[in-house]
Amino acid sequence: MTIATTSSHGMAPDMAEVRNRLREIVGASTNWRDHQQALAERASLGSHLAPSQDALPVRRMQDSLVEVHLPLGTDPSLREKYLTFHDTVRFGRILEDLDSLAVLICYSHTRNKAQSRSPLSIVTALVDKIDMRKNIIYPDCDIKFTGHVTWVGKSSIEAKIHMSQFHDGAYSAVLDATFVMVARDPENKRAAFVNPLKPEGPEEEKIFQEGEENKKRRVDLSTASLLKVAPKLLERELVHSLFLNTLDSKTVSFRSRILPPDSVWMEDAKLKGLEICHPQERNIFNRIFGGFLMRKAYELGWANACYYGGCRPNLVAVDDILFQKPVEIGSLLLLSSQVCYTEGKYIQVRVHTEVLDPETRQHNTTNVFHFTFSFPQDVRAVIPKTYGESMLYLDGKRHFSQEH
């Protein structure tokens, strides 16, 4: 993978060099045995943090512009890493690359040439949205990523990445991704200020305004979360209608439930997995790499969708991937995927990940992922049985409605 930027970052021949560049920026070691010393050295960088955002120089969108090439067409050894059994590209690998690039874009925005290492710890807070522009990603054609910072708050940064692929003599759009990153102190304990962003011209003003609207939408969605407030009237009526459709007309009992034709109980539309978090999958801050978590969640969600629909599904969108807590090295990571909503040829899959502490037996949620898949034909309807499942159903419907 080669990288070109408008800043003086130099050239990197492959994705490994992109990640090496990130290690250089924060001073992370490639040797796990040295990680404690590296963490101690980073703690000393706290004195280099800006006391306020006003103390930092203003940046342009062009300052963080990054272009990266993935030469699948010319590098057979690299192609093997991205290849599926069905001769397509592993989308989980693309998610890993997108996450690394989003971090690099944000460090390009906050760079200070006077500092050999950045005092900022920039981590993924949210994958706001990934919209697929085409279903097929060819395994033997070059891919190009371009991206830059599009909006900033006090300590948060929005970055957009566009992915295209060279086929039939030209590059065509594959996907658009929006990441929200947060800057924290060197020890990743508290928020840190980032450089303000000044849009130039009406096009950049529009992009920046979209970032403001995205932030407002995220706040509104969080406020209206079903974990905080009751469903809306139409949603309550929908849940009751689903309940009535499952009553046994012979007994007319609350306990007697019958599955409608061509349907599946939600409790039977699950798939689970477990990952032991080894040092190999660590990021530059010696926690589990967010891209790795996304890849594992996507692959489990895809497998569940494939089993549910009876054939290989197409990914339509990824949205609202929330990183609630970092995953430490050595953790036992439990992944649970659930088909939570269906409509026509589409299904919504939610993947929930949590860390299990074997000593205390406590479970702590770390991530929630939302994937939309499509099939060539209509799929069976998924039916909730409990109130909790009904809330998952409504949440899935809300996410699906955002895409349609």
Side-chain angles (χ1 to χ4, degrees):
M1 195 174 249
T2 57
I3 175 171
T5 77
T6 56
S7 63
S8 57
H9 288 156
M11 301 295 291
D14 53 32
M15 196 63 205
E17 287 301 317
V18 172
R19 296 190 173 107
N20 284 340
R21 174 59 187 156
L22 290 174
R23 292 189 187 97
E24 291 173 6
I25 289 171
V26 302
S29 172
T30 56
N31 190 336
W32 170 245
R33 292 171 183 257
D34 299 333
H35 77 283
Q36 291 289 358
Q37 180 181 346
L39 289 175
E41 290 175 354
R42 275 199 60 74
S44 66
L45 297 174
S47 60
H48 297 297
L49 291 173
S52 68
Q53 191 173 42
D54 293 336
L56 293 167
V58 175
R59 302 293 192 209
R60 304 170 300 166
M61 291 188 184
Q62 182 182 346
D63 293 330
S64 60
L65 181 63
V66 173
E67 181 176 304
V68 175
H69 293 268
L70 185 64
L72 297 182
T74 53
D75 189 342
S77 61
L78 181 66
R79 194 183 307 152
E80 285 284 314
K81 178 182 176 182
Y82 287 79
L83 196 63
T84 73
F85 171 76
H86 300 283
D87 203 29
T88 57
V89 168
R90 294 175 62 182
F91 190 74
R93 292 292 190 197
I94 298 298
L95 288 175
E96 288 183 325
D97 291 347
L98 289 171
D99 189 57
S100 292
L101 289 172
V103 177
L104 182 59
I105 287 169
C106 294
Y107 273 120
S108 299
H109 173 80
T110 61
R111 76 191 185 284
N112 182 345
K113 294 180 181 179
Q115 298 173 350
S116 59
R117 294 179 180 177
S118 173
L120 297 177
S121 299
I122 296 179
V123 296
T124 308
L126 175 73
V127 181
D128 194 353
K129 205 171 187 182
I130 299 178
D131 285 323
M132 302 301 299
R133 304 302 182 191
K134 59 191 288 189
N135 291 329
I136 299 174
I137 305 178
Y138 302 98
D140 55 355
C141 296
D142 288 358
I143 286 173
K144 180 171 68 175
F145 299 93
T146 56
H148 60 82
V149 168
T150 52
W151 173 89
V152 299
K154 294 292 185 182
S155 61
S156 56
I157 308 176
E158 180 189 90
K160 287 186 181 292
I161 302 173
H162 176 75
M163 172 179 159
S164 56
Q165 187 166 41
F166 191 82
H167 186 68
D168 289 338
Y171 277 98
S172 58
V174 175
L175 64 81
D176 293 311
T178 303
F179 282 72
V180 178
M181 322 298 283
V182 292
R184 300 178 67 80
D185 68 4
E187 298 179 273
N188 197 11
K189 291 182 178 180
R190 58 183 178 85
F193 294 108
V194 297
N195 300 69
L197 177 68
K198 182 180 180 180
E200 297 179 328
E203 184 177 345
E204 290 191 2
E205 289 281 0
K206 182 181 178 182
I207 292 173
F208 189 86
Q209 187 58 40
E210 288 174 355
E212 291 280 4
E213 294 169 359
N214 288 340
K215 179 187 177 183
K216 183 179 182 301
R217 172 180 51 81
R218 289 191 292 267
V219 172
D220 291 344
L221 288 174
S222 176
T223 304
S225 169
L226 292 166
L227 292 172
K228 298 178 181 178
V229 297
K232 300 173 184 177
L233 176 60
L234 290 178
E235 291 177 328
R236 295 198 296 269
E237 291 176 347
L238 173 60
V239 167
H240 192 64
S241 175
L242 289 169
F243 169 73
L244 292 178
N245 288 337
T246 63
L247 289 180
D248 188 342
S249 58
K250 297 178 182 178
T251 61
V252 194
S253 167
F254 283 109
R255 292 186 176 183
S256 183
R257 308 283 291 278
I258 292 180
L259 185 66
D262 201 28
S263 300
V264 178
W265 288 121
M266 190 178 284
E267 64 186 19
D268 297 324
K270 294 180 180 179
L271 200 60
K272 296 189 176 185
L274 167 69
E275 291 290 332
I276 301 174
C277 299
H278 297 292
Q280 182 184 10
E281 309 301 342
R282 71 188 186 279
N283 63 14
I284 52 178
F285 304 115
N286 289 299
R287 290 184 168 94
I288 294 300
F289 173 42
F292 171 78
L293 298 174
M294 285 195 284
R295 174 163 65 88
K296 289 298 180 180
Y298 168 77
E299 290 174 351
L300 183 66
W302 184 92
N304 197 11
C306 184
Y307 178 73
Y308 186 90
C311 64
R312 296 178 64 243
N314 288 319
L315 178 67
V316 176
V318 181
D319 77 298
D320 203 19
I321 296 180
L322 186 62
F323 289 77
Q324 295 184 8
K325 290 183 179 180
V327 178
E328 303 292 342
I329 305 297
S331 298
L332 297 180
L333 186 70
L334 304 178
L335 301 94
S336 178
S337 69
Q338 172 74 71
V339 177
C340 55
Y341 181 74
T342 56
E343 185 173 318
K345 299 178 181 180
Y346 298 93
I347 71 171
Q348 193 72 29
V349 178
R350 179 182 188 268
V351 180
H352 175 264
T353 63
E354 58 185 3
V355 168
L356 168 64
D357 187 326
E359 296 181 359
T360 64
R361 299 187 180 275
Q362 287 187 333
H363 294 244
N364 291 305
T365 297
T366 58
N367 303 86
V368 181
F369 306 81
H370 299 274
F371 304 103
T372 306
F373 295 97
S374 68
F375 292 85
Q377 70 290 325
D378 287 355
V379 296
R380 297 170 296 171
V382 69
I383 306 295
K385 187 182 287 186
T386 66
Y387 185 81
E389 288 178 347
S390 296
M391 295 304 100
L392 285 177
Y393 183 90
L394 293 179
D395 188 54
K397 187 177 188 303
R398 288 182 179 184
H399 283 281
F400 179 80
S401 298
Q402 292 177 31
E403 309 298 332
H404 295 80

